[in-house]
mmCIF file of all heavy atoms in Angstrom:
data_model
loop_
_atom_site.group_PDB
_atom_site.id
_atom_site.type_symbol
_atom_site.label_atom_id
_atom_site.label_comp_id
_atom_site.label_asym_id
_atom_site.label_seq_id
_atom_site.Cartn_x
_atom_site.Cartn_y
_atom_site.Cartn_z
ATOM 1 N N ILE M 55 100.195 88.751 65.747
ATOM 2 C CA ILE M 55 100.769 88.181 64.551
ATOM 3 C C ILE M 55 101.580 89.205 63.791
ATOM 4 O O ILE M 55 102.698 88.951 63.353
ATOM 5 C CB ILE M 55 99.675 87.589 63.656
ATOM 6 C CG1 ILE M 55 99.038 86.343 64.295
ATOM 7 C CG2 ILE M 55 100.220 87.231 62.278
ATOM 8 C CD1 ILE M 55 97.765 85.895 63.616
ATOM 9 N N LEU M 56 101.040 90.415 63.638
ATOM 10 C CA LEU M 56 101.752 91.470 62.912
ATOM 11 C C LEU M 56 103.053 91.831 63.596
ATOM 12 O O LEU M 56 104.075 92.074 62.945
ATOM 13 C CB LEU M 56 100.865 92.704 62.775
ATOM 14 C CG LEU M 56 99.717 92.574 61.787
ATOM 15 C CD1 LEU M 56 98.820 93.824 61.810
ATOM 16 C CD2 LEU M 56 100.247 92.359 60.382
ATOM 17 N N TYR M 57 103.060 91.880 64.923
ATOM 18 C CA TYR M 57 104.273 92.190 65.670
ATOM 19 C C TYR M 57 105.342 91.113 65.383
ATOM 20 O O TYR M 57 106.482 91.465 65.090
ATOM 21 C CB TYR M 57 103.982 92.257 67.185
ATOM 22 C CG TYR M 57 105.225 92.272 68.014
ATOM 23 C CD1 TYR M 57 106.012 93.418 68.108
ATOM 24 C CD2 TYR M 57 105.653 91.135 68.670
ATOM 25 C CE1 TYR M 57 107.147 93.454 68.871
ATOM 26 C CE2 TYR M 57 106.808 91.148 69.417
ATOM 27 C CZ TYR M 57 107.541 92.316 69.542
ATOM 28 O OH TYR M 57 108.691 92.320 70.272
ATOM 29 N N HIS M 58 104.961 89.866 65.444
ATOM 30 C CA HIS M 58 105.947 88.772 65.222
ATOM 31 C C HIS M 58 106.367 88.691 63.752
ATOM 32 O O HIS M 58 107.528 88.358 63.477
ATOM 33 C CB HIS M 58 105.387 87.448 65.730
ATOM 34 C CG HIS M 58 105.499 87.316 67.182
ATOM 35 N ND1 HIS M 58 106.663 86.925 67.817
ATOM 36 C CD2 HIS M 58 104.576 87.510 68.187
ATOM 37 C CE1 HIS M 58 106.466 86.910 69.131
ATOM 38 N NE2 HIS M 58 105.206 87.271 69.380
ATOM 39 N N GLU M 59 105.485 89.018 62.820
ATOM 40 C CA GLU M 59 105.868 89.036 61.407
ATOM 41 C C GLU M 59 106.902 90.118 61.161
ATOM 42 O O GLU M 59 107.885 89.912 60.467
ATOM 43 C CB GLU M 59 104.665 89.261 60.513
ATOM 44 C CG GLU M 59 103.823 88.042 60.275
ATOM 45 C CD GLU M 59 102.628 88.315 59.385
ATOM 46 O OE1 GLU M 59 102.290 89.496 59.105
ATOM 47 O OE2 GLU M 59 101.986 87.346 58.971
ATOM 48 N N LYS M 60 106.657 91.309 61.736
ATOM 49 C CA LYS M 60 107.607 92.419 61.571
ATOM 50 C C LYS M 60 108.958 92.053 62.185
ATOM 51 O O LYS M 60 110.006 92.301 61.570
ATOM 52 C CB LYS M 60 107.027 93.662 62.184
ATOM 53 C CG LYS M 60 107.949 94.874 62.030
ATOM 54 C CD LYS M 60 107.335 96.112 62.659
ATOM 55 C CE LYS M 60 108.235 97.276 62.411
ATOM 56 N NZ LYS M 60 108.830 97.793 63.598
ATOM 57 N N ASN M 61 108.919 91.486 63.336
ATOM 58 C CA ASN M 61 110.145 91.065 64.023
ATOM 59 C C ASN M 61 110.893 90.011 63.184
ATOM 60 O O ASN M 61 112.128 90.112 63.048
ATOM 61 C CB ASN M 61 109.840 90.532 65.431
ATOM 62 C CG ASN M 61 111.050 90.276 66.242
ATOM 63 O OD1 ASN M 61 112.077 90.918 66.075
ATOM 64 N ND2 ASN M 61 110.956 89.343 67.172
ATOM 65 N N GLN M 62 110.208 89.087 62.637
ATOM 66 C CA GLN M 62 110.816 88.031 61.841
ATOM 67 C C GLN M 62 111.383 88.616 60.529
ATOM 68 O O GLN M 62 112.458 88.200 60.071
ATOM 69 C CB GLN M 62 109.829 86.895 61.554
ATOM 70 C CG GLN M 62 110.520 85.673 60.958
ATOM 71 C CD GLN M 62 109.630 84.451 61.101
ATOM 72 O OE1 GLN M 62 108.896 84.301 62.039
ATOM 73 N NE2 GLN M 62 109.679 83.607 60.078
ATOM 74 N N LYS M 63 110.706 89.574 59.930
ATOM 75 C CA LYS M 63 111.236 90.239 58.711
ATOM 76 C C LYS M 63 112.524 90.962 59.038
ATOM 77 O O LYS M 63 113.459 90.957 58.206
ATOM 78 C CB LYS M 63 110.211 91.200 58.145
ATOM 79 C CG LYS M 63 109.106 90.506 57.406
ATOM 80 C CD LYS M 63 108.092 91.523 56.888
ATOM 81 C CE LYS M 63 106.915 90.800 56.255
ATOM 82 N NZ LYS M 63 105.892 91.734 55.786
ATOM 83 N N GLU M 64 112.612 91.630 60.180
ATOM 84 C CA GLU M 64 113.827 92.308 60.557
ATOM 85 C C GLU M 64 114.955 91.321 60.791
ATOM 86 O O GLU M 64 116.106 91.580 60.419
ATOM 87 C CB GLU M 64 113.597 93.133 61.818
ATOM 88 C CG GLU M 64 112.709 94.344 61.557
ATOM 89 C CD GLU M 64 112.359 95.110 62.808
ATOM 90 O OE1 GLU M 64 112.846 94.738 63.919
ATOM 91 O OE2 GLU M 64 111.613 96.092 62.715
ATOM 92 N N ILE M 65 114.665 90.188 61.403
ATOM 93 C CA ILE M 65 115.684 89.158 61.611
ATOM 94 C C ILE M 65 116.147 88.599 60.266
ATOM 95 O O ILE M 65 117.360 88.424 60.042
ATOM 96 C CB ILE M 65 115.124 88.017 62.499
ATOM 97 C CG1 ILE M 65 114.922 88.529 63.924
ATOM 98 C CG2 ILE M 65 116.070 86.827 62.488
ATOM 99 C CD1 ILE M 65 114.167 87.568 64.829
ATOM 100 N N THR M 66 115.232 88.396 59.349
ATOM 101 C CA THR M 66 115.578 87.903 57.998
ATOM 102 C C THR M 66 116.488 88.894 57.287
ATOM 103 O O THR M 66 117.471 88.526 56.669
ATOM 104 C CB THR M 66 114.322 87.623 57.166
ATOM 105 O OG1 THR M 66 113.445 86.764 57.907
ATOM 106 C CG2 THR M 66 114.662 86.962 55.838
ATOM 107 N N SER M 67 116.181 90.174 57.438
ATOM 108 C CA SER M 67 117.009 91.211 56.809
ATOM 109 C C SER M 67 118.409 91.238 57.410
ATOM 110 O O SER M 67 119.396 91.352 56.716
ATOM 111 C CB SER M 67 116.320 92.569 56.992
ATOM 112 O OG SER M 67 117.129 93.594 56.490
ATOM 113 N N LEU M 68 118.466 91.116 58.744
ATOM 114 C CA LEU M 68 119.757 91.087 59.448
ATOM 115 C C LEU M 68 120.575 89.876 59.010
ATOM 116 O O LEU M 68 121.783 90.006 58.702
ATOM 117 C CB LEU M 68 119.517 91.050 60.950
ATOM 118 C CG LEU M 68 120.768 90.868 61.817
ATOM 119 C CD1 LEU M 68 121.587 92.117 61.825
ATOM 120 C CD2 LEU M 68 120.350 90.489 63.203
ATOM 121 N N VAL M 69 119.933 88.719 58.947
ATOM 122 C CA VAL M 69 120.651 87.505 58.541
ATOM 123 C C VAL M 69 121.095 87.609 57.081
ATOM 124 O O VAL M 69 122.197 87.157 56.739
ATOM 125 C CB VAL M 69 119.738 86.283 58.794
ATOM 126 C CG1 VAL M 69 120.288 85.025 58.156
ATOM 127 C CG2 VAL M 69 119.509 86.059 60.247
ATOM 128 N N CYS M 70 120.279 88.209 56.258
ATOM 129 C CA CYS M 70 120.604 88.385 54.844
ATOM 130 C C CYS M 70 121.849 89.328 54.681
ATOM 131 O O CYS M 70 122.717 89.015 53.900
ATOM 132 C CB CYS M 70 119.420 88.953 54.114
ATOM 133 S SG CYS M 70 119.436 88.641 52.360
ATOM 134 N N THR M 71 121.868 90.358 55.441
ATOM 135 C CA THR M 71 123.030 91.272 55.429
ATOM 136 C C THR M 71 124.298 90.564 55.903
ATOM 137 O O THR M 71 125.363 90.695 55.306
ATOM 138 C CB THR M 71 122.768 92.499 56.322
ATOM 139 O OG1 THR M 71 121.568 93.136 55.876
ATOM 140 C CG2 THR M 71 123.931 93.462 56.262
ATOM 141 N N TYR M 72 124.125 89.725 56.930
ATOM 142 C CA TYR M 72 125.259 88.938 57.447
ATOM 143 C C TYR M 72 125.724 87.918 56.425
ATOM 144 O O TYR M 72 126.922 87.666 56.272
ATOM 145 C CB TYR M 72 124.798 88.248 58.741
ATOM 146 C CG TYR M 72 125.893 87.504 59.463
ATOM 147 C CD1 TYR M 72 126.891 88.209 60.146
ATOM 148 C CD2 TYR M 72 125.882 86.134 59.539
ATOM 149 C CE1 TYR M 72 127.869 87.503 60.833
ATOM 150 C CE2 TYR M 72 126.848 85.429 60.245
ATOM 151 C CZ TYR M 72 127.845 86.149 60.890
ATOM 152 O OH TYR M 72 128.815 85.475 61.586
ATOM 153 N N ALA M 73 124.777 87.346 55.649
ATOM 154 C CA ALA M 73 125.132 86.310 54.657
ATOM 155 C C ALA M 73 125.889 86.890 53.484
ATOM 156 O O ALA M 73 126.634 86.186 52.808
ATOM 157 C CB ALA M 73 123.862 85.636 54.170
ATOM 158 N N LYS M 74 125.714 88.196 53.234
ATOM 159 C CA LYS M 74 126.431 88.846 52.151
ATOM 160 C C LYS M 74 127.954 88.870 52.379
ATOM 161 O O LYS M 74 128.737 89.031 51.442
ATOM 162 C CB LYS M 74 125.959 90.290 51.944
ATOM 163 C CG LYS M 74 124.602 90.446 51.378
ATOM 164 C CD LYS M 74 124.274 91.902 51.263
ATOM 165 C CE LYS M 74 122.859 92.128 50.784
ATOM 166 N NZ LYS M 74 122.567 93.563 50.720
ATOM 167 N N GLU M 75 128.361 88.715 53.608
ATOM 168 C CA GLU M 75 129.781 88.772 53.990
ATOM 169 C C GLU M 75 130.470 87.422 53.815
ATOM 170 O O GLU M 75 131.514 87.177 54.437
ATOM 171 C CB GLU M 75 129.907 89.257 55.431
ATOM 172 C CG GLU M 75 129.309 90.605 55.682
ATOM 173 C CD GLU M 75 129.267 90.968 57.141
ATOM 174 O OE1 GLU M 75 129.716 90.186 58.004
ATOM 175 O OE2 GLU M 75 128.771 92.059 57.447
ATOM 176 N N ASP M 76 129.959 86.560 52.975
ATOM 177 C CA ASP M 76 130.535 85.237 52.679
ATOM 178 C C ASP M 76 130.718 84.399 53.931
ATOM 179 O O ASP M 76 131.777 83.795 54.145
ATOM 180 C CB ASP M 76 131.834 85.372 51.915
ATOM 181 C CG ASP M 76 131.623 85.895 50.524
ATOM 182 O OD1 ASP M 76 130.581 85.591 49.940
ATOM 183 O OD2 ASP M 76 132.504 86.634 50.018
ATOM 184 N N LYS M 77 129.730 84.368 54.787
ATOM 185 C CA LYS M 77 129.742 83.539 55.970
ATOM 186 C C LYS M 77 129.263 82.119 55.604
ATOM 187 O O LYS M 77 128.576 81.929 54.631
ATOM 188 C CB LYS M 77 128.856 84.134 57.075
ATOM 189 C CG LYS M 77 129.253 85.505 57.489
ATOM 190 C CD LYS M 77 130.580 85.505 58.236
ATOM 191 C CE LYS M 77 130.895 86.916 58.685
ATOM 192 N NZ LYS M 77 132.128 86.979 59.429
ATOM 193 N N THR M 78 129.605 81.178 56.456
ATOM 194 C CA THR M 78 129.171 79.786 56.218
ATOM 195 C C THR M 78 127.686 79.674 56.563
ATOM 196 O O THR M 78 127.132 80.468 57.316
ATOM 197 C CB THR M 78 129.990 78.806 57.070
ATOM 198 O OG1 THR M 78 129.720 79.060 58.438
ATOM 199 C CG2 THR M 78 131.483 78.924 56.774
ATOM 200 N N GLU M 79 127.097 78.615 56.054
ATOM 201 C CA GLU M 79 125.663 78.394 56.329
ATOM 202 C C GLU M 79 125.424 78.151 57.796
ATOM 203 O O GLU M 79 124.400 78.553 58.343
ATOM 204 C CB GLU M 79 125.200 77.178 55.492
ATOM 205 C CG GLU M 79 123.725 76.976 55.536
ATOM 206 C CD GLU M 79 123.254 75.929 54.572
ATOM 207 O OE1 GLU M 79 123.792 75.820 53.453
ATOM 208 O OE2 GLU M 79 122.346 75.148 54.991
ATOM 209 N N ASN M 80 126.354 77.488 58.478
ATOM 210 C CA ASN M 80 126.215 77.253 59.891
ATOM 211 C C ASN M 80 126.225 78.545 60.702
ATOM 212 O O ASN M 80 125.470 78.711 61.646
ATOM 213 C CB ASN M 80 127.353 76.341 60.373
ATOM 214 C CG ASN M 80 126.867 75.187 61.154
ATOM 215 O OD1 ASN M 80 125.679 74.963 61.276
ATOM 216 N ND2 ASN M 80 127.788 74.424 61.699
ATOM 217 N N ASP M 81 127.134 79.526 60.310
ATOM 218 C CA ASP M 81 127.161 80.792 61.005
ATOM 219 C C ASP M 81 125.870 81.573 60.780
ATOM 220 O O ASP M 81 125.370 82.228 61.714
ATOM 221 C CB ASP M 81 128.356 81.639 60.489
ATOM 222 C CG ASP M 81 129.685 81.031 60.901
ATOM 223 O OD1 ASP M 81 129.718 80.291 61.876
ATOM 224 O OD2 ASP M 81 130.687 81.377 60.206
ATOM 225 N N ILE M 82 125.335 81.515 59.586
ATOM 226 C CA ILE M 82 124.089 82.239 59.257
ATOM 227 C C ILE M 82 122.939 81.654 60.070
ATOM 228 O O ILE M 82 122.128 82.355 60.663
ATOM 229 C CB ILE M 82 123.825 82.163 57.745
ATOM 230 C CG1 ILE M 82 124.950 82.853 56.973
ATOM 231 C CG2 ILE M 82 122.479 82.765 57.410
ATOM 232 C CD1 ILE M 82 124.906 82.583 55.480
ATOM 233 N N ARG M 83 122.873 80.337 60.111
ATOM 234 C CA ARG M 83 121.844 79.646 60.887
ATOM 235 C C ARG M 83 121.932 79.984 62.384
ATOM 236 O O ARG M 83 120.939 80.226 63.058
ATOM 237 C CB ARG M 83 121.955 78.138 60.640
ATOM 238 C CG ARG M 83 120.838 77.317 61.215
ATOM 239 C CD ARG M 83 121.013 75.828 60.829
ATOM 240 N NE ARG M 83 121.242 75.625 59.430
ATOM 241 C CZ ARG M 83 120.266 75.538 58.506
ATOM 242 N NH1 ARG M 83 119.025 75.679 58.867
ATOM 243 N NH2 ARG M 83 120.571 75.323 57.237
ATOM 244 N N GLN M 84 123.167 80.030 62.878
ATOM 245 C CA GLN M 84 123.393 80.350 64.305
ATOM 246 C C GLN M 84 122.896 81.777 64.640
ATOM 247 O O GLN M 84 122.316 82.023 65.660
ATOM 248 C CB GLN M 84 124.874 80.172 64.667
ATOM 249 C CG GLN M 84 125.177 80.390 66.120
ATOM 250 C CD GLN M 84 124.487 79.388 67.007
ATOM 251 O OE1 GLN M 84 124.255 78.250 66.641
ATOM 252 N NE2 GLN M 84 124.139 79.816 68.213
#
Side-chain angles (χ1 to χ4, degrees):
I55 291 168
L56 288 175
Y57 168 77
H58 281 280
E59 281 180 349
K60 182 178 182 248
N61 189 27
Q62 192 163 324
K63 283 179 185 178
E64 289 175 3
I65 292 170
T66 307
S67 176
L68 173 73
V69 170
C70 202
T71 303
Y72 186 72
K74 287 180 185 179
E75 301 172 1
D76 291 327
K77 301 292 182 178
T78 65
E79 188 173 322
N80 231 6
D81 292 338
I82 298 168
R83 189 176 308 277
Q84 183 63 31

